[in-house]
Amino acid sequence: MNSKPRIAVIIGSTRPTRFADAPAQWILKQAEARGDMDLELVDLRDHPLPFFDEMASNLWMPSQNPEAVRWQETVGRFDGYIFVVAEYNHSITAALKNALDQAYKEWNRKPFTAIGYGGTGATRAVEHLRGIGVELQMVSTHAAVHIGGGDFMAVHPAFGNKPISEIEASLLQSAKTALDELVWWAKATMAAKAAEA
Ligand SMILES: Cc1cc2nc3c(=O)[nH]c(=O)nc-3n(C[C@H](O)[C@H](O)[C@H](O)COP(=O)(O)O)c2cc1C
């Protein structure tokens, strides 16, 4: 068994002028520096999924749309996930919700954490994500990274447009805790699956 969990950093916003790349790159750098995960950036822009149009979730029958099948293969390659979460009207983006719906079995019994950003650090969106994760039989970390309030204003291109490195002092502890938990759960679920097999 590969002892290092394979972790995807999934960018949940696809709009052309998104801010998402900055937090995605920042959390990728933090995670890579640890050396205890194999990381890959997964951009929903590279997965032009239709709005869900299958007969049922792939729990019940194989999906027909080739993009959905390709997405399921991508999701299935990983042991855990770091979602990059924008808050749109107090929830996750429609693009991320659709991507979550377009797989089922591939998410099961895997952990995730999140880096959220917005006025309140996308706390409401991350809580919604956790509820969705329960239905997908996933496990959420207790900790997550939240870029909110003055920090969000400082780094968002519409306001301060500073690099995230300028506000990272207030993010590093939560990032460490969230990533520690993610690795712990990834190893635990990988070991449990290996024992079952
Ligand atoms: C449709 C829409 C809804 C939004 N709703 C919220 C919200 O509920 N809470 C919040 O903090 N920010 C909200 N915002 C502002 C976003 O936090 C901000 O635009 C952020 O840059 C979005 O992420 P993105 O640029 O990566 O797409 C909203 C933005 C959009 C476009």
Side-chain angles (χ1 to χ4, degrees):
M1 187 177 73
N2 180 4
S3 59
K4 277 193 193 183
R6 292 157 299 179
I7 303 292
V9 176
I10 298 184
I11 306 184
S13 169
T14 53
R15 67 192 185 99
T17 56
R18 71 185 180 192
F19 169 62
D21 296 285
Q25 291 298 336
W26 186 82
I27 197 68
L28 180 65
K29 190 173 143 200
Q30 303 307 314
E32 277 176 339
R34 299 164 56 97
D36 57 358
M37 299 168 245
D38 287 334
L39 288 136
E40 202 177 303
L41 202 62
V42 173
D43 193 338
L44 293 186
R45 281 181 184 164
D46 298 328
H47 290 273
L49 293 158
F51 277 128
F52 189 93
D53 60 358
E54 302 294 332
M55 293 276 283
S57 140
N58 78 338
L59 171 65
W60 303 108
M61 60 179 70
S63 298
Q64 299 299 307
N65 190 292
E67 281 299 339
V69 173
R70 189 170 76 87
W71 172 241
Q72 289 158 11
E73 286 165 0
T74 297
V75 173
R77 283 197 286 112
F78 297 98
D79 304 304
Y81 310 90
I82 302 169
F83 291 109
V84 181
V85 177
E87 184 168 282
Y88 283 11
N89 296 317
H90 290 198
S91 189
I92 59 173
T93 63
L96 179 55
K97 179 62 165 64
N98 188 49
L100 289 160
D101 292 344
Q102 295 274 9
Y104 187 83
K105 294 183 292 186
E106 295 78 9
W107 299 118
N108 290 180
R109 296 183 171 178
K110 294 181 186 173
F112 68 92
T113 193
I115 178 167
Y117 50 92
T120 66
T123 47
R124 296 160 295 212
V126 171
E127 285 303 305
H128 277 188
L129 178 63
R130 288 180 170 138
I132 295 162
V134 169
E135 182 56 21
L136 294 172
Q137 302 187 42
M138 302 178 81
V139 57
S140 170
T141 58
H142 173 258
V145 184
H146 297 281
I147 305 174
D151 280 350
F152 179 62
M153 298 297 274
V155 297
H156 195 277
F159 306 101
N161 201 23
K162 292 181 179 165
I164 295 191
S165 55
E166 292 215 9
I167 54 132
E168 71 181 8
S170 53
L171 308 178
L172 285 169
Q173 185 57 56
S174 58
K176 180 185 181 315
T177 309
L179 295 172
D180 282 351
E181 290 178 20
L182 180 69
V183 171
W184 192 95
W185 281 111
K187 286 187 172 171
T189 51
M190 288 162 74
K193 279 178 258 189
E196 212 169 48

